[in-house]
Amino acid sequence: MRIIAFYSPKGGVGKTAAAVNVAYLASQDNCRTLLWDLDPQGASSFYLAGAETVKGRKLSKLLEGKAPMARFIHDDVYPGLDFIPAHTSFRNF
Ligand SMILES: Nc1ncnc2c1ncn2[C@@H]1O[C@H](COP(=O)(O)OP(=O)(O)OP(=O)(O)O)[C@@H](O)[C@H]1O
Ligand SMILES: [Mg+2]
């Protein structure tokens, strides 16, 4: 398994657009792909129309390793592309 993260302290430089597009292209290239939107702004969740941000589910439990990841995954965004939407609790990172 490979993990790719897009990070820059500079705003508006294309982190979210790159993450969403690379994830989509990887999934179309037969790499099973999970995109996890760790930005509390939820821009990736906005790009992937239809994938609503998680409401009422305790993603903090997932981050603490106390809840199974599968419970939070949307697997119906695109074939081969799984997605975990953003959550406002990520502000506390
Ligand atoms: N390669 C690109 N060419 C042209 N425009 C782009 C490209 N990548 C992103 N953009 C545009 O630039 C703007 C900012 O992109 P994006 O939201 O991905 O940046 P970001 O780094 O995630 O921003 P933020 O710091 O707010 O999270 C958006 O309008 C996006 O459509
Ligand atoms: Mg962004």
Side-chain angles (χ1 to χ4, degrees), residues 23-72:
Y24 176 76
L25 290 171
S27 72
Q28 296 303 297
D29 209 23
N30 293 322
C31 298
R32 291 185 62 202
T33 306
L34 171 67
L35 176 64
W36 187 353
D37 188 359
L38 288 166
D39 185 343
Q41 292 180 109
S44 295
S45 310
F46 175 78
Y47 272 95
L48 297 174
E52 308 251 335
T53 53
V54 179
K55 288 175 187 156
R57 291 195 195 171
K58 300 202 168 170
L59 265 95
S60 56
K61 297 276 181 210
L62 173 58
L63 298 170
E64 293 163 8
K66 294 177 181 169
M69 183 176 262
R71 189 183 298 171
F72 301 93

Side-chain angles (χ1 to χ4, degrees), residues 10-18 39 41 47:
K10 188 169 171 57
V13 294
K15 302 178 292 290
T16 298
D39 185 343
Q41 292 180 109
Y47 272 95

